[in-house]
Amino acid sequence: MTARSKFSCLQLLSARPVLTSESQEEFDALAIAMIEYIKPDDPIRESWVMDVIQATWEIVRYQRTRTALIQSQYRNALSNLLQHVADVNELIALHLADGWLGTRAGKQEVAKRLEPFSLNETAIEAEAIRMVFPDLEVLDSLLTSALKRRNKALRLLSESEAPLARRAREVSNRIIAENEAEGRRSERAE
């Protein structure tokens, strides 16, 4: 990549799509790694590479948001299950849900109350997903849109130069896969 090209890409990065809860450093590292790996050699290709970078960042964001959205409803989901399945009143159900979220003894107490109904943490997750399903549909629509934008930019790169597009796809796929693996590890850790 020429000095001019690197400068142009860095100028394009000035409008970074980073939210306050996200890491500016991670975005910059993603963008620089992709630019250096792909090596766009003209302003049109630079623009397409920036489209790939921004769409990849959004895909990672939406994947991360999906997990957070579901987890944000665990307390309410557990309270619903306890109220409707185990016939526990609302205040006690919320207290038990808080205990389940906070202590090992709380988890054991909830497990004991759900066991007669053959329910476990998977049922809590399913209820949380049911509760946020409309939001998940919107998120899936945003994810689909980001994937389409990324794929369009990759197609344009491919039509202009196959090796360039292949490199862009490799980097984007690797980043998305790493994010999915990280999400699975954090879900198992909880």
Side-chain angles (χ1 to χ4, degrees):
M1 173 179 350
T2 67
R4 186 209 60 77
S5 178
K6 190 169 188 175
F7 177 74
S8 295
C9 284
L10 293 175
Q11 280 181 317
L12 289 171
L13 286 176
S14 64
R16 296 172 182 108
V18 178
L19 301 176
T20 57
S21 63
E22 298 173 331
S23 168
Q24 184 67 57
E25 292 78 24
E26 286 180 24
F27 177 80
D28 290 346
L30 157 73
I32 290 168
M34 199 171 279
I35 291 165
E36 288 177 352
Y37 187 74
I38 298 168
K39 298 177 180 61
D41 57 1
D42 66 46
I44 300 292
R45 289 187 180 116
E46 288 170 8
S47 175
W48 293 335
V49 168
M50 291 310 303
D51 289 346
V52 172
I53 291 168
Q54 290 184 354
T56 298
W57 186 255
E58 288 177 23
I59 291 164
V60 169
R61 174 187 296 146
Y62 298 145
Q63 290 170 334
R64 187 178 53 247
T65 300
R66 169 184 280 281
T67 300
L69 186 62
I70 294 167
Q71 289 175 338
S72 73
Q73 288 302 311
Y74 279 3
R75 178 179 188 258
N76 294 332
L78 178 52
S79 177
N80 278 355
L81 284 175
L82 290 168
Q83 288 175 63
H84 296 102
V85 176
D87 200 28
V88 174
N89 81 40
E90 183 179 2
L91 290 176
I92 292 172
L94 287 169
H95 177 73
L96 288 168
D98 289 338
W100 179 79
L101 289 166
T103 66
R104 184 181 313 267
K107 278 195 182 280
Q108 291 170 345
E109 174 65 23
V110 167
K112 185 173 72 176
R113 289 183 183 247
L114 293 178
E115 184 178 19
F117 306 99
S118 300
L119 298 175
N120 57 22
E121 288 187 357
T122 302
I124 299 167
E125 290 172 358
E127 178 66 6
I129 291 168
R130 186 196 64 73
M131 293 174 73
V132 297
F133 191 76
D135 298 323
L136 292 175
E137 287 183 315
V138 170
L139 199 55
D140 283 344
S141 175
L142 292 169
L143 181 59
T144 298
S145 175
L147 284 165
K148 285 180 181 178
R149 284 194 328 274
R150 180 194 89 138
N151 291 341
K152 178 181 178 184
L154 289 170
R155 187 181 71 253
L156 291 168
L157 283 167
S158 176
E159 290 169 359
S160 74
E161 184 178 339
L164 183 68
R166 193 170 33 257
R167 290 192 306 263
R169 186 176 302 278
E170 287 171 7
V171 173
S172 180
N173 286 341
R174 185 182 73 234
I175 289 164
I176 292 167
E178 288 170 0
N179 181 67
E180 287 174 344
E182 179 61 34
R184 286 191 295 276
R185 280 193 296 274
S186 69
E187 286 176 12
R188 285 191 295 254
E190 294 179 0

